[in-house]
Amino acid sequence: MFPSIRSYLAFSYTLVVLLVIAALGLGIQLLVERNLRANLDADLVARARQVEEFILSDPDADLSRQVEQLTTATGLGGQEADTTYLRVYIANGFPLPGPVLPVQEATPQQLQRLPPFSVGTWLTEDGTSFRLLTRRVVYNDQLIAYFQVMRSLEPIERITSRLRTTLAAGGLLAAVVAGATAYALAYQALKPFSAIVDDTRQIGADRLDLRLPMSYGVDEVSRLAYSFNSLLDRLQKAFELQRRFVADASHELRTPLTTIRGNVDVLLLDPALDEETREALQQVSGESARMSRLVTNLLLLARADSGQQAPSPHPVDLHGLVLETVRQARSMSSTVSVSLVREDQVMVSGDSDQLKQVLLNLLENALKYTPDGGRVTVSVYAEGTWAKLEVRDTGIGIAPEDQQRIFDRFYRAEGRRHDAGGSGLGLSIANWVVSAHGGRLAVESVPGVGSIFTVWLPLRSAVSNQALTPP
Ligand code: ADP
């Protein structure tokens, strides 16, 4: 869901800060509102007491005049938002005439139903809320009046709304700052991990001798680098053991195989052999030749892995090498034609035996996977600073999903495992040799149409300008 730990941390921090601020804001808001309302109620009660005392100070006086005096003396009425209004009702529940007030008059029945002292909230038609206190005034067990004091809740609502806006804006700002800070901190904290990832990328199966630096500035990362290096030590030892085993086994197998082949070939010279024995001996000879090739290839790859087989930088006449191999290939098949279509004199630098092996592997494959009557064409020419060698065939082709894998060791395309001979090592050897010479081996193929294997090698004249990147 998250593309990186940094964004995950930034998002989590932002969310936590938002939640904390929202909870805190809600708490503050409720507290402030409750306090303001409690103050307002206390004020209404104090006002009510004042009004009641005034009325009771002269219970027989004219109530209307008393109200007038009360309004001017105590500042009840007026236009300000925090004004406390007063409305007085005579004992039968009818209101005394006075200024029009925002809260509707109560009916006598409503007044009678109310308890002697009640406080409530009233919503006017224009949407303003009022706090309303209704009081029954009794003198000598005789009801002499009702009165109501009321005050708008609008100032409280204004304060709480401003508080809400301020808290929301502050909360958002805090969340953004927290998110950005978390992102920056995570970035800083994870930087050594990015460095370790970059360093690890340099270490491939062919460079197991490389190690990570031990100083990443952060203890945890340095410990990780240490563990990684120990793992590499073990891996390198295991690789080395395996490589040595393959090399030793191949080496040990070579001599008996040569002896078998030699003896079988001598036996085959006997003209008195019956047909069955001859066939069996020919089979033994063919299989031991195949095994010999396999062993040679394995030995070559084992040496390549150990870095012992690096090519010696001798001048190699690639054109001459192509002529030689094409000639050899022609003798291998009478049903598939092999021709040279373009030939330039090109010189490269390297090991001519290894390069010849590449050419042979490519040509053998082209012949092996091209049906009778097909054609194999070879071109060798210079292109810029590169020598380019192409082996085209009109064979069975290679499926797109196999094209990337045919250079892997022992990989053979599905369906070819048991026919056509071969071990799946030819192309990986060719690929290794070409790379070791600073070049590149590529394939283009259309199943049922044919394949083109292209080898790029740096021209000898260009080799001195080091660090050429193959096309
Ligand atoms: P192999 O000994 O099987 O030929 P290689 O490493 O030379 O081993 O080739 C690997 C696989 O690539 C082969 O098994 C085959 O499937 C495929 N391949 C190689 N060259 C060709 C080609 N010219 N045409 C079709 N398939 C090919």
Side-chain angles (χ1 to χ4, degrees):
M1 181 184 170
F2 290 96
S4 65
I5 296 185
R6 273 169 292 181
S7 43
Y8 174 66
L9 282 179
F11 176 79
S12 311
Y13 270 94
T14 311
L15 197 71
V16 167
V17 168
L18 266 180
L19 286 178
V20 169
I21 289 182
L24 219 69
L26 205 70
I28 293 175
Q29 163 105 5
L30 285 177
L31 209 72
V32 168
E33 199 171 341
R34 190 171 330 142
N35 272 343
L36 289 175
R37 274 171 178 266
N39 282 348
L40 189 139
D41 284 355
D43 196 48
L44 278 184
V45 170
R47 289 304 189 123
R49 198 161 293 142
Q50 205 181 0
V51 172
E52 189 176 359
E53 275 168 13
F54 194 82
I55 295 174
L56 289 178
S57 64
D58 189 1
D60 302 322
D62 175 22
L63 207 52
S64 316
R65 248 206 4 262
Q66 259 184 326
V67 170
E68 233 169 75
Q69 285 171 0
L70 198 66
T71 314
T72 38
T74 57
L76 293 166
Q79 295 305 308
E80 286 77 36
D82 57 353
T83 300
T84 308
Y85 298 100
L86 171 69
R87 174 181 286 141
V88 181
Y89 300 79
I90 54 174
N92 64 6
F94 286 101
L96 285 176
V100 181
L101 297 184
V103 175
Q104 219 185 327
E105 291 154 358
T107 60
Q109 292 80 3
Q110 282 172 333
L111 288 172
Q112 277 157 21
R113 271 204 306 272
L114 281 172
F117 182 93
S118 79
V119 185
T121 304
W122 182 279
L123 187 70
T124 62
E125 268 167 17
D126 66 357
T128 322
S129 299
F130 271 82
R131 205 65 182 145
L132 184 70
L133 185 151
T134 312
R135 175 79 177 131
R136 197 179 288 176
V137 186
V138 179
Y139 182 71
N140 282 346
D141 290 336
Q142 175 114 30
L143 174 72
I144 56 170
Y146 295 96
F147 72 86
Q148 289 180 315
V149 275
M150 59 199 90
R151 171 109 62 103
S152 167
L153 282 169
E154 203 254 335
I156 294 182
E157 275 161 12
R158 214 172 40 229
I159 291 172
T160 50
S161 137
R162 212 176 302 149
L163 186 69
R164 227 179 359 250
T165 318
T166 314
L167 282 172
L172 274 182
L173 189 73
V176 169
V177 170
T181 313
Y183 191 87
L185 283 178
Y187 178 77
Q188 204 56 31
L190 293 174
K191 230 170 164 182
F193 284 99
S194 308
I196 215 171
V197 169
D198 288 344
D199 292 342
T200 313
R201 269 202 204 114
Q202 318 293 323
I203 305 172
D206 51 340
R207 289 312 312 266
L208 282 176
D209 56 313
L210 291 179
R211 291 293 176 271
L212 295 175
M214 294 302 295
S215 53
Y216 282 93
V218 180
D219 187 42
E220 288 84 347
V221 183
S222 301
R223 284 214 313 266
L224 183 68
Y226 178 79
S227 314
F228 195 80
N229 282 347
S230 321
L231 180 74
L232 280 177
D233 286 343
R234 294 198 292 275
L235 212 62
Q236 194 187 10
K237 262 187 214 140
F239 255 66
E240 182 53 28
L241 266 178
Q242 187 219 30
R243 190 200 60 74
R244 213 174 311 144
F245 171 76
V246 174
D248 291 350
S250 318
H251 191 74
E252 291 302 319
L253 282 171
R254 248 149 69 126
T255 322
L257 275 172
T258 317
T259 315
I260 293 172
R261 281 182 68 192
N263 286 334
V264 170
D265 288 348
V266 169
L267 287 176
L268 276 169
L269 292 177
D270 183 357
L273 281 179
D274 63 86
E275 205 46 41
E276 211 176 315
T277 319
R278 181 175 296 281
E279 251 176 46
L281 283 175
Q282 273 167 345
Q283 215 171 342
V284 172
S285 169
E287 284 303 306
S288 50
R290 202 170 83 84
M291 208 158 154
S292 245
R293 272 202 306 277
L294 176 67
V295 163
T296 309
N297 284 342
L298 279 174
L299 193 60
L300 192 77
L301 281 172
R303 284 193 185 145
D305 285 345
S306 70
Q308 289 173 21
Q309 208 72 9
S312 43
H314 295 302
V316 179
D317 171 11
L318 197 62
H319 174 243
L321 218 59
V322 168
L323 288 182
E324 209 179 304
T325 356
V326 164
R327 210 175 304 127
Q328 217 169 319
R330 278 183 186 138
S331 68
M332 288 181 208
S333 171
S334 52
T335 51
V336 177
S337 72
V338 182
S339 52
L340 253 169
V341 288
R342 183 171 171 190
E343 42 183 318
D344 287 354
Q345 296 291 334
V346 281
M347 291 294 289
V348 293
S349 190
D351 184 314
S352 76
D353 285 345
Q354 289 181 6
L355 291 174
K356 188 170 174 194
Q357 183 73 48
V358 172
L359 281 173
L360 262 179
N361 287 359
L362 295 181
L363 278 167
E364 268 175 10
N365 278 348
L367 292 174
K368 208 159 44 173
Y369 300 110
T370 303
D372 292 353
R375 279 191 327 128
V376 173
T377 50
V378 183
S379 316
V380 55
Y381 53 94
E383 198 176 83
T385 51
W386 296 93
K388 206 169 160 189
L389 183 115
E390 274 173 12
V391 178
R392 290 172 184 255
D393 64 55
T394 57
I396 55 173
I398 304 160
E401 64 272 19
D402 287 328
Q403 288 178 20
Q404 287 310 309
R405 306 199 51 198
I406 51 171
F407 300 106
D408 295 347
R409 288 177 192 183
F410 294 108
Y411 186 80
R412 309 194 63 216
E414 207 50 55
R416 320 264 159 80
R417 293 182 195 286
H418 304 296
D419 46 62
S423 57
L425 285 178
L427 284 181
S428 63
I429 289 177
N431 194 31
W432 170 74
V433 170
V434 174
S435 306
H437 281 76
R440 188 164 86 91
L441 172 60
V443 63
E444 288 167 66
S445 185
V446 180
V449 176
S451 313
I452 310 170
F453 281 85
T454 310
V455 177
W456 281 271
L457 288 168
L459 282 175
R460 185 160 171 79
S461 51
V463 167
S464 48
N465 310 333
Q466 289 306 306
L468 283 175
T469 316

